[in-house]
RNA sequence: GGCGGGUUGCCCGAGCGGCCAAUGGGAGCUGACUGUAAAUCAGUCGUCGUAAGACUACGGAGGUUCGAAUCCUUCACCCGCCA
């Protein structure tokens, strides 16, 4: 466990930390119990959360003991965003999401052995807390003056305003750290760098109340090459839940990583060793067109999240669908398996308009949009360019008598199956 | 409490009685180049429609007018200045 700090540093996972020397020494000298928290604000985590989940896994592999917190209480309140007040979700919804997030996080951690992980929920120590206790025991240690200086709060005060509810969020998260430090001996909180203020507020509360010195570690917010937010596609966030983002789309997201960022993503997300990653980075620099680093990244992350078998299947599908121009050369089984990964449309007769198929398969939002795509020369049926706006499925050869691959532009694919 | 300014399409932001589905920028989409990369350049970008055209839209409601995003009334919200 001696080199985990260097490891995290090298992987670019340390954006901020409390006293580096002390933290490094603590991590090197024995098991440290640490916590990382996620608020149930949606039914699934997305790839942005993955950095923290995987960093927790790395720490556990180095012998440290994780407490995975899903915020059944904080999820009812909402961490202030700089933009606007959050809409409150009702308690039943949040409780349902807690269960889903817990199930999603669990596979990444080991719940047995000497560094066994523990799943915790801040509702356990928060729901019985009275307002008076909370204000006296927690609130008294917070200075409103300092809370007003926090970036998200200041932005909100200058724009849309902020409710007392959200303003109080930091007290709850700080109290979580205090409770976990007492209940479990937790001495390190891990979080995204957007959580830095909340995390250090917890460290300070613990110091004031219990006189103990605990640590904080923030992972950086990853960005794309142009500086925009990582983890969003035109169709929204990239979710870990396969129902929300198909494993195929998930794989494609990583495969499309930009050259400029792929090495950093490999360090942050892949569990490959340093030499191997440096070798892939070298390949990416010398032969970018081969995209070996992107392939490794997409495989690794998909395998971590969806399992090795699924990763292989979507990788094979990607290769089949992108690898050659002659789809007809694929045997039926490979084709069928590949198409199963794509969004799909059913057709009962070959007489349907291609335009309607594009809409049905989700490749175009409306008939007009689909027609526009054809007009722009960006629509294909089984790799044959569609050049008539009123083209019908029957104008194109079917693959194995009943399949067709729809394509919009270079990357957006869908399948059509002609019902018997 | 008083006075003034504002609310436009996914976002920013022009328009200030007909030529406005609405200038421009960004995002998005397509094409060229290339490598399922980035950058660049070009096209496109409310809905339906092959088209002609129809419909919906400029904070909400009502009104004036042959005709309104543009004028009037009113309601809501935001932002300044003065108390």
């Amino acid at each position: 466990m001696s080199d985990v700090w260097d490891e995290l540093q090298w992987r670019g996972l340390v954006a901020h930390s409390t006293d580096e020397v002390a933290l490094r020494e603590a991590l090197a000298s024995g098991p440290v119990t640490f916590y990382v928290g996620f608020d149930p604000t949606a039914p699934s985590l997305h790839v942005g959360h993955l950095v923290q989940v995987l960093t927790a896994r790395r720490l556990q592999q180095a012998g440290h003991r994780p407490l995975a917190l899903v915020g059944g209480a904080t999820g009812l309140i909402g961490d202030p965003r700089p933009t606007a007040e959050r809409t409150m979700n009702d308690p039943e919804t949040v409780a349902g999401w807690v269960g889903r997030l817990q199930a999603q996080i669990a596979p990444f951690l080991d719940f047995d052995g000497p560094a066994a992980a523990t799943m915790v929920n801040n509702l356990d120590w928060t729901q019985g807390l009275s307002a008076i206790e909370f204000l006296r025991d927690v609130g008294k240690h917070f200075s409103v003056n300092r809370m007003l200086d926090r970036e998200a709060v200041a932005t909100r005060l200058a724009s849309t305003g902020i409710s007392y509810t959200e303003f109080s969020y930091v007290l709850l998260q700080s109290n979580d750290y205090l409770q976990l430090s007492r209940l479990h001996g937790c001495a390190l909180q891990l979080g995204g760098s957007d959580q830095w203020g909340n995390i250090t507020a917890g460290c300070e509360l613990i110091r004031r109340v219990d006189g103990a010195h605990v640590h904080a570690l923030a992972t950086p917010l990853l960005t794309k090459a142009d500086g925009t937010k990582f983890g969003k596609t035109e169709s929204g966030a990239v979710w870990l839940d396969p129902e929300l983002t198909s494993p195929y789309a998930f794989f494609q997201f990583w495969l499309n990583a930009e050259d400029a960022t792929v090495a950093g993503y490999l360090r942050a997300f892949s569990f490959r060793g340093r030499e191997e990653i440096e070798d892939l980075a070298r390949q990416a620099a010398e032969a970018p067109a081969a995209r070996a680093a992107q392939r490794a990244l997409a495989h690794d992350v998909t395998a971590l999240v969806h399992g090795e078998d699924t990763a292989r299947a979507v990788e094979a599908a990607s290769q089949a669908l992108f690898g050659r121009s002659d789809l007809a050369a694929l045997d039926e089984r490979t084709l069928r398996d590949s198409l199963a990964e794509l969004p799909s449309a059913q057709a009962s007769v070959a007489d349907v308009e291609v335009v309607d198929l594009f809409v049905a398969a989700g490749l175009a939002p409306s008939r007009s949009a689909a027609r526009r795509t054809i007009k722009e020369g960006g629509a294909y049926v089984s790799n044959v360019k569609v050049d008539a706006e009123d083209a019908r499925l029957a104008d194109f050869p079917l693959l194995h008598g009943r399949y067709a691959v729809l394509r919009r532009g270079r990357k957006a694919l869908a399948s059509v199956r002609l019902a018997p």
Side-chain angles (χ1 to χ4, degrees):
Chain A
M1 68 180 60
S2 58
D3 50 12
V4 68
W5 177 261
D6 287 338
E7 169 87 5
L8 295 182
Q9 283 279 4
W10 174 72
R11 288 185 183 270
L13 293 169
V14 181
H16 317 281
S17 78
T18 44
D19 187 350
E20 183 179 329
V21 176
L23 175 54
R24 180 181 194 150
E25 197 183 306
L27 288 171
S29 60
V32 171
T33 298
F34 68 98
Y35 108 84
V36 57
F38 302 93
D39 271 357
T41 54
S44 170
L45 297 180
H46 53 72
V47 290
H49 295 116
L50 206 51
V51 184
Q52 275 86 255
V53 176
L54 296 181
T55 303
R57 181 182 168 99
R58 291 181 205 285
L59 282 166
Q60 183 178 38
Q61 286 181 351
H64 304 292
R65 182 166 166 258
L67 302 169
L69 181 148
V70 177
T74 37
L76 293 169
I77 300 304
D79 192 13
R81 287 183 293 201
T83 46
E85 192 81 5
R86 291 173 188 270
T87 45
M88 285 209 284
N89 298 306
D90 59 77
E92 300 78 57
T93 306
V94 172
W97 290 347
V98 168
R100 295 185 64 152
L101 297 201
Q102 287 178 333
Q104 218 165 36
I105 294 163
F108 292 96
L109 299 172
D110 187 354
F111 289 81
D112 294 306
T118 306
M119 196 67 77
V120 295
N121 183 344
N122 53 20
L123 199 57
D124 293 345
W125 54 84
T126 307
Q127 64 184 345
L129 197 60
S130 77
I132 297 296
E133 281 177 285
F134 179 65
L135 291 173
R136 287 179 66 95
D137 297 346
V138 181
K140 193 67 175 172
H141 301 287
F142 282 79
S143 151
V144 168
N145 307 46
R146 292 190 56 185
M147 288 168 73
L148 292 174
D149 284 339
R150 300 191 55 221
E151 200 181 315
V153 173
T155 310
R156 288 281 295 279
L157 284 172
S159 57
T160 57
I162 182 170
S163 69
Y164 188 75
T165 304
E166 288 193 4
F167 182 62
S168 313
Y169 182 91
V170 63
L171 306 214
L172 288 176
Q173 186 168 332
S174 299
N175 185 48
D176 288 345
Y177 198 177
L178 175 64
Q179 298 307 320
L180 289 173
S181 118
R182 288 175 176 171
L183 291 166
H184 296 277
C186 179
L188 170 65
Q189 182 178 175
L190 173 68
S193 68
D194 57 334
Q195 291 294 305
W196 182 245
N198 289 334
I199 297 173
T200 52
C203 295
E204 196 174 320
L205 178 67
I206 291 170
R207 187 161 59 244
R208 283 164 174 259
V209 177
D210 288 349
H213 286 269
V214 292
H215 298 283
L217 177 61
T219 57
L221 293 186
L222 296 179
T223 55
K224 297 199 284 188
D226 59 3
T228 57
K229 217 180 302 174
F230 158 83
K232 297 270 183 195
T233 63
E234 36 325 330
S235 44
V238 179
W239 302 101
L240 302 196
D241 187 326
E243 297 297 316
L244 298 175
T245 297
S246 75
Y248 169 80
F250 188 86
F251 181 88
Q252 286 288 323
F253 167 76
W254 295 101
L255 190 66
N256 280 298
E258 299 154 343
D259 291 346
T261 51
V262 68
Y265 291 172
L266 268 174
R267 287 197 296 269
F269 292 100
S270 173
F271 277 78
R272 287 175 200 247
R274 185 164 180 159
E275 277 180 26
E276 206 174 343
I277 289 176
E278 281 174 349
D279 185 50
L280 284 165
R282 203 173 308 119
Q283 289 182 48
E286 286 166 8
R291 301 164 75 252
Q294 276 92 339
R295 283 177 216 288
L297 174 71
H299 171 87
D300 290 359
V301 187
T302 307
L304 272 167
V305 173
H306 297 299
E308 185 64 40
D309 290 348
T310 304
R312 282 217 193 90
V314 296
E315 192 168 15
S318 294
Q319 256 162 27
L321 296 168
F322 280 102
R324 65 193 93 189
S325 54
D326 190 9
L327 287 166
L330 290 175
D331 67 88
E332 181 164 359
R333 195 200 152 100
T334 304
L335 180 70
R336 180 165 25 85
D337 289 349
S338 302
L339 295 186
E341 309 296 339
L342 302 176
S344 63
Q346 283 271 337
S348 51
V349 284
D351 197 37
V352 288
E353 284 191 71
V354 169
V355 163
D356 287 319
L357 288 173
F358 269 65
V359 175
L363 285 184
S366 70
R367 282 173 54 90
S368 303
R371 205 173 293 113
R372 194 182 309 132
T373 300
I374 293 174
K375 221 181 299 180
E376 292 169 335
Y380 298 81
V381 173
S382 302
N383 285 347
V384 177
K385 190 178 205 161
V386 181
D387 43 28
E389 288 177 46
D390 58 355
R392 287 162 192 277
L393 183 58
D395 301 336
F396 302 88
L398 286 168
L399 306 168
H400 295 288
R402 56 186 154 165
Y403 302 103
V405 178
L406 306 180
R407 175 155 66 90
R408 193 201 69 226
R410 278 178 295 177
K411 293 190 264 190
L413 295 172
S415 71
V416 176
R417 183 181 173 161
L418 194 63

